[in-house]
Amino acid sequence: MADITKDDVIEFIANMSVLDLSELVKELEEKFGVSAAAPVAFAGAMPAGDAAVAEEQTEFDVILETIGDKKINVIKEVRALTGLGLKEAKALVEEAPKAVKEGVTKEEAQKVKEQLEGAGAQVSVK
């Protein structure tokens, strides 16, 4: 039998389709009795009290609070920012208050907020 290196295996996996790769992962999980899911941290393992508060927030959510008078402009801006289709963007805008972007950096959150406010919406960053 020819020697197979890790590089050979990686190259083989890199050329697989997503569906084939998904099936491979399932088979490996069954064969070895493991899970490829990311481990979940327990709440008890989190630092208590002041240590958690001292950490600076790194992820922000941009919340569309109200759409204002220029609903069409807000829908256009939401579409541009999120890549949603017209129907999905309209639904998101009509469900305000609703998150437009979640888990973004402070800079990106400010940029999104400015764009939406420029279109006539009221926005908050949390």
Side-chain angles (χ1 to χ4, degrees):
M1 185 169 131
D3 290 332
I4 299 175
T5 66
K6 284 194 285 185
D7 291 333
D8 294 335
V9 173
I10 291 170
E11 183 65 29
F12 178 76
I13 291 172
N15 292 321
M16 293 178 76
S17 71
V18 175
L19 183 59
D20 290 338
L21 186 57
S22 174
E23 290 173 359
L24 174 65
V25 169
K26 287 178 186 174
E27 290 176 26
L28 290 172
E29 288 175 339
E30 289 174 11
K31 176 154 180 95
F32 297 109
V34 296
S35 174
V40 177
F42 291 102
M46 296 293 291
D50 296 333
V53 174
E55 257 185 59
E56 184 178 340
Q57 183 177 355
T58 58
E59 292 186 349
F60 297 85
D61 296 340
V62 181
I63 311 295
L64 177 66
E65 297 293 340
T66 60
I67 55 177
D69 297 336
K70 301 177 182 176
K71 181 177 177 180
I72 293 173
N73 290 343
V74 175
I75 292 171
K76 286 180 183 179
E77 202 61 47
V78 168
R79 285 187 68 200
L81 291 167
T82 62
L84 293 173
L86 179 60
K87 183 178 180 180
E88 293 83 7
K90 182 178 183 270
L92 187 149
V93 167
E94 290 175 345
E95 293 173 2
K98 182 96 172 163
V100 176
K101 289 271 195 170
E102 296 178 322
V104 296
T105 64
K106 185 174 185 176
E107 294 80 19
E108 184 178 355
Q110 281 303 115
K111 181 180 173 187
V112 170
K113 179 180 178 184
E114 289 171 9
Q115 288 177 308
L116 287 170
E117 286 178 344
Q122 290 182 348
V123 181
S124 65
V125 177
K126 297 181 181 180

